[in-house]
Amino acid sequence: MPVDFRTRRESLRRLLSERELDAILVTDLLNIRYLTGFTGSNAALVVSASDSASDERETVICTDGRYVTQVAEQVPDLRAEIARSSAAHLIEKSTAPVLAFESHVATFAEHRAWTEAAPKIRFEPVSGLVEQLRMVKDEHEVELLRAACTAADVALAQLITRGGLRPGRTEREVGRELENLMLDNGADGISFETIVAAGANSAIPHHRPTDAILASGDFVKLDFGAQVGGYHSDMTRTYVLESVSDWQREIYELVARSQAAGCDALAPGVECAAVDAVARAVIDDAGYGELFLHGLGHGVGLEIHEAPGIGKLGTGTLLSGAAVTVEPGVYFSGRGGVRIEDTLVVREQGPELLTLTAKDLTVV
């Protein structure tokens, strides 16, 4: 399925027109990738509000000499210019009276240099304009997310089938094997450093793997993801090694109910904070609310954490096509904890689950 970058840029132009902006200077490399397909390490892009999808004469990308061939191949539908200082070059060439810039990306020193070099341009700071578009995934993006989730699902199944999750191994050994299996199953890379947290370490939400040895009766929390075509998956599963105690069963089933409630609440138009509240109420009502230490979830796509945020302080409402995680957890310091997480796409007919590994309490 080909990517329609022209339509993405046309959507950005509509946002510019609504704000009465002549053009925008895009310097965030992920936003440039989203709008053009360019994946080099140095680039800037000016999108003109006066252009149209069929006539983009004022919309131009700039990169340096290392990427002459790459920009021609990846961005054949835009004029490309070559200069070492991409943003400065485009500003020098710009005729826009009002030029928006990504104020959450540009440094103070960069902004000062731009204003000194182009005193006739009024630089208008904007934040999150392209990210606003990125919240809603098109079907090409969903396919990449689905592929990333599949790579993670298959890798986890293989890890367990071959006995990779067993007493006597270290957290680091398990994490490295899981990461290698994701690469073996089609991932271009990993989404983030894999979390393997065993025993008391499972009570640390973002524990980094150590040489701690897995033991019988441990909770083992695995939080990991694969990256395919620049898009990330994110999944957490918590297992018990060899034998399960009553308290482990109670807490696991509680988190599973909370996670199911959060997933069921995903729908277009629902407030992000309200989704968090539905899932959090399950844990609050059981008396463990103070042990749910983080927000319920976040957007996922070209970044592992992107808009929207789903938490107590989350703002805005869910949009159809948003890709999000739902990941409640309960953590007993010094004893152990449980988190269950999926990646899903918000749909009109109900959320689409992309991470398909079973979530029943599993003793391995």
Side-chain angles (χ1 to χ4, degrees):
M1 181 185 302
V3 186
D4 190 349
F5 294 112
R6 287 182 181 270
T7 295
R8 292 179 181 179
R9 295 193 292 269
E10 191 64 18
S11 296
L12 178 58
R13 290 189 185 95
R14 285 194 291 271
L15 294 180
L16 293 174
S17 296
E18 290 172 5
R19 298 186 179 209
E20 298 182 341
L21 298 169
D22 299 313
I24 183 171
L25 173 69
V26 182
T27 52
D28 182 277
L29 289 173
L30 287 180
N31 286 342
I32 292 170
R33 178 174 185 164
Y34 175 79
L35 292 167
T36 69
F38 183 69
T39 60
S41 64
N42 176 26
L45 172 72
V46 166
V47 177
S48 173
S50 63
D51 281 352
S52 66
S54 61
D55 183 5
E56 296 189 286
R57 69 184 67 187
E58 299 298 328
T59 296
V60 57
I61 187 170
C62 183
T63 185
D64 65 53
R66 295 171 296 169
Y67 299 111
V68 171
T69 300
Q70 182 176 330
V71 73
E73 291 176 347
Q74 292 184 329
V75 197
D77 55 345
L78 286 182
R79 176 164 53 95
E81 298 189 0
I82 305 300
R84 183 172 182 83
S85 299
S86 300
H89 174 79
L90 292 182
I91 289 169
E92 179 184 344
K93 298 288 186 179
S94 178
T95 59
V98 181
L99 183 62
F101 70 97
E102 296 180 302
S103 57
H104 58 300
V105 178
T107 66
F108 175 79
E110 287 173 328
H111 177 252
R112 182 172 60 184
W114 297 342
T115 56
E116 291 175 352
K120 293 183 179 180
I121 295 176
R122 178 164 66 85
F123 290 90
E124 185 72 22
V126 297
S127 180
L129 208 60
V130 181
E131 288 84 350
Q132 179 180 333
L133 299 176
R134 282 171 46 192
M135 275 198 293
V136 176
K137 272 58 180 181
D138 59 34
E139 289 308 310
H140 175 82
E141 292 176 288
V142 173
E143 283 300 316
L144 291 174
L145 287 167
R146 189 177 288 114
C149 290
T150 297
D153 278 323
V154 174
L156 178 57
Q158 291 178 349
L159 175 75
I160 294 173
T161 299
R162 61 204 273 178
L165 199 61
R166 65 179 184 272
R169 300 198 80 192
T170 69
E171 293 171 339
R172 282 198 178 98
E173 288 171 341
V174 173
R176 288 168 183 162
E177 183 174 2
L178 183 54
E179 290 176 351
N180 287 332
L181 285 169
M182 285 189 282
L183 296 173
D184 291 344
N185 283 283
D188 300 326
I190 59 174
S191 292
F192 50 90
E193 182 183 12
T194 295
I195 295 172
V196 181
N201 289 338
S202 63
I204 303 171
H206 280 184
H207 173 72
R208 302 184 70 178
T210 68
D211 290 325
I213 296 174
L214 280 61
S216 179
D218 276 353
F219 269 138
V220 182
K221 182 181 66 194
L222 305 170
D223 187 345
F224 61 104
Q227 186 181 152
V228 173
Y231 284 78
H232 301 74
S233 69
D234 198 356
M235 175 168 67
T236 306
R237 294 293 184 267
T238 305
Y239 297 101
V240 184
L241 297 184
E242 295 189 334
S243 63
V244 60
S245 63
D246 290 341
W247 79 271
Q248 289 174 319
R249 190 180 303 278
E250 175 192 351
I251 296 306
Y252 190 94
E253 292 176 352
L254 173 64
V255 174
R257 291 197 304 274
S258 172
Q259 209 257 351
C263 291
D264 289 344
L266 297 176
V270 175
E271 292 185 358
C272 294
V275 179
D276 178 275
V278 167
R280 194 172 299 274
V282 176
I283 295 173
D284 285 341
D285 292 346
Y288 296 112
E290 74 280 3
L291 302 182
F292 183 0
L293 305 174
H294 49 73
L296 181 66
H298 54 84
V300 62
L302 285 170
E303 295 177 277
I304 189 60
H305 292 98
E306 58 182 48
I310 303 177
K312 288 182 177 179
L313 302 179
T315 58
T317 59
L318 292 174
L319 300 173
S320 180
V324 299
T325 68
V326 175
E327 50 181 303
V330 171
Y331 310 93
F332 290 86
S333 180
R335 194 177 185 190
V338 175
R339 181 163 67 249
I340 303 171
E341 175 186 18
D342 284 308
T343 298
L344 310 98
V345 179
V346 179
R347 302 286 197 185
E348 295 288 347
Q349 65 273 26
E352 178 186 354
L353 182 65
L354 300 185
T355 41
L356 303 179
T357 298
K359 292 176 282 188
D360 299 326
L361 176 60
T362 302
V363 180
V364 296

